[in-house]
Amino acid sequence: MAAVSTNRVPFPQGGKTWEEIDSAMDDLVHDDADWRSGRSPLYVFRATEEAYEIGRRGFMKFFSENALGGRRVFHGLKKMEDDLVDFGLDLFNAPPEASGMVTTGGSESILVAVKAARDYARSRMGTDKRFNMVVPDTVHPAFEKAGDMMDIDIRRAKLSADRRVDVVSMEKLIDEQSILLVGSAPCFPHGVVDPIEALSGLAVERDIWLHVDA
């Protein structure tokens, strides 16, 4: 049997100085998009230089601590996390019984939301159902990941002329196994906000959870 040829990079045989590592990283990103000059509308989370520097310093201050140990050994980190959740709940005028959690990015946030909807549906309808979620055709690709991981069918609704999801198209896709409606604010492809208020009304009418993906 012939050996398979790969271009795998071998594990380094020795260490390098910071200057060598820094130079190598600069070389690797040399041809990346110049987002600082406005050449990338996505994938960058940065406001002002001051906000960036505060965030960087705060992150590096607790770089080695794992917040998983917040209830046991890192009580200060747990308080920071709880405060962040409270800030978000207050910002969105959440009711007193609402709760939240800190996630590490878009995919994890979506996976957690879909899992919550699935677990709630299981508590009401049992575990032997094949559930589905109804989403815009422009929805974040992580919903596909979540559907694949949790065996939830994805039903994609058509768009209106303004590239926002067509609520009528969405309603036609709902059935007894639908556990979640999704709207984007905004969507990735076009940067437009789906008709969230209309989707909210539809969700209330059909007694289905609504996730607004921001």
Side-chain angles (χ1 to χ4, degrees), residues 53-213:
E53 186 60 25
I54 290 172
R56 187 188 69 81
R57 289 185 181 182
F59 181 83
M60 294 307 299
K61 188 177 182 71
F62 303 99
F63 177 78
S64 297
E65 289 90 336
N66 187 339
L68 185 64
R71 294 186 183 277
R72 294 184 176 183
V73 290
F74 301 131
H75 307 296
L77 285 184
K78 183 65 173 65
K79 180 63 167 62
M80 294 179 208
E81 183 176 10
D82 290 344
D83 287 350
L84 285 174
V85 171
D86 283 348
F87 295 161
L89 294 175
D90 181 64
L91 184 65
F92 289 103
N93 299 309
E97 68 274 15
S99 60
M101 62 181 297
V102 175
T103 59
T104 58
S107 289
E108 184 187 3
S109 299
I110 289 168
L111 289 171
V112 168
V114 173
K115 182 180 184 299
R118 186 204 63 180
D119 291 352
Y120 179 69
R122 282 181 171 179
S123 72
R124 294 202 307 169
M125 294 185 277
T127 60
D128 59 338
K129 300 286 193 302
R130 177 78 182 194
F131 298 125
N132 67 74
M133 53 182 157
V134 182
V135 306
D137 195 39
T138 50
V139 80
H140 192 290
F143 284 95
E144 290 282 355
K145 300 178 192 176
D148 186 56
M149 292 173 66
M150 296 179 227
D151 292 327
I152 300 172
D153 294 328
I154 308 292
R155 297 184 175 179
R156 290 181 172 271
K158 297 178 181 178
L159 306 181
S160 300
D162 59 4
R163 299 184 184 275
R164 304 194 303 164
V165 70
D166 186 314
V167 180
V168 174
S169 171
M170 208 162 197
E171 184 173 17
K172 291 178 179 178
L173 296 173
I174 298 173
D175 64 13
E176 292 77 10
Q177 275 71 55
S178 299
I179 63 171
L180 183 66
L181 306 181
V182 178
S184 300
C187 70
F188 259 65
H190 311 299
V192 296
V193 177
D194 287 321
I196 303 301
E197 187 173 356
L199 293 179
S200 178
L202 178 60
V204 171
E205 178 186 336
R206 302 297 293 268
D207 193 23
I208 302 173
W209 281 19
L210 170 67
H211 176 80
V212 180
D213 187 55

Side-chain angles (χ1 to χ4, degrees), residues 11-33:
F11 191 85
Q13 296 300 307
K16 293 183 178 180
T17 64
W18 163 245
E19 288 74 18
E20 293 172 320
I21 295 171
D22 192 35
S23 176
M25 289 192 293
D26 285 341
D27 289 342
L28 287 170
V29 302
H30 180 266
D31 294 325
D32 286 4

